[in-house]
Amino acid sequence: MIETLSYAWLHDAVSWLLAPALATLLLGCAIAVVEAGIAVGERFHGLAKLGASGNVAHVQAVARHRLERADLLARIPPMLGLMATIIPLGPGLAALGQGDPAKLASAVTVAFDATVLGLVAGIGGLVIGKLRRRWYEETLEAMEQPMEQPMEHSA
C-alpha cells in the first residue's frame, strides 16, 4: 500500500513534466531557426565588422557568448527530447496492459515526435556551433596576423 502511494505521486509528478518539456522543445526548435539566421548574418556581415574593429578581446567575448548559446542548443534539446520520449511511454504501456492499444499508439506517436524535435534542435545547435567556432578562429587569426608581422620585421 505504501509503495503504491509513493509510486502514484511520483508518476503524477513525472507526467506533469511532459507539457513543459514539449513546449521547451518547440522553443528550442524556434531558437535554432533564429540562431541559424543570426549565424548567416554573422558570416556575411557581422564577423567582418567585428574583425575591422581591431578589438581582439571584444571579439573573443562575443565569440564565447555566441558559442555558449550554440553549445547549449546542441545539448539541452536532445535531453528534453529523451525526457519527452520516455514520459508518455509509461502510461502508454500501462494502457496496453489494460487492453487499450490506441492509447499506447498515441503515446508512442508523442514519444517519437519529441525525439525528432530534440534531435532537430540539437543538430541545428551542433552545426551552428561548429561553423561559428571555425569562423571566429579565422577572424581572430586574421586580426592577429598584422600584429605579428611587425615583430618579424624588427627581429
Side-chain angles (χ1 to χ4, degrees):
M1 178 77 169
I2 293 174
E3 287 181 1
T4 305
L5 291 176
S6 66
Y7 293 142
W9 74 263
L10 181 62
H11 172 69
D12 289 341
V14 169
S15 295
W16 179 84
L17 293 172
L18 181 59
L22 289 172
T24 308
L25 278 171
L26 289 172
L27 179 63
C29 288
I31 290 171
V33 170
V34 169
E35 283 292 316
I38 292 170
V40 168
E42 243 174 0
R43 179 62 178 149
F44 293 111
H45 303 291
L47 286 171
K49 194 182 287 187
L50 274 175
S53 75
N55 187 344
V56 173
H58 177 67
V59 174
Q60 288 173 335
V62 170
R64 189 177 320 109
H65 177 72
R66 290 182 180 166
L67 289 171
E68 285 173 357
R69 279 195 333 233
D71 288 344
L72 287 173
L73 188 59
R75 288 182 174 89
I76 292 175
M79 287 188 262
L80 288 171
L82 179 60
M83 269 180 54
T85 298
I86 294 171
I87 292 169
L89 290 181
L93 291 172
L96 181 63
Q98 297 169 351
D100 188 1
K103 192 170 182 180
L104 174 63
S106 175
V108 169
T109 301
V110 170
F112 287 160
D113 292 346
T115 302
V116 170
L117 286 176
L119 291 174
V120 164
I123 289 168
L126 181 68
V127 170
I128 291 165
K130 291 291 185 184
L131 290 173
R132 277 184 173 159
R133 213 167 250 103
R134 186 180 65 203
W135 296 340
Y136 278 104
E137 286 173 1
E138 290 171 355
T139 300
L140 287 167
E141 285 174 7
M143 290 174 73
E144 291 171 357
Q145 281 178 352
M147 291 180 210
E148 293 173 1
Q149 288 174 351
M151 290 182 195
E152 292 173 3
H153 294 293
S154 63

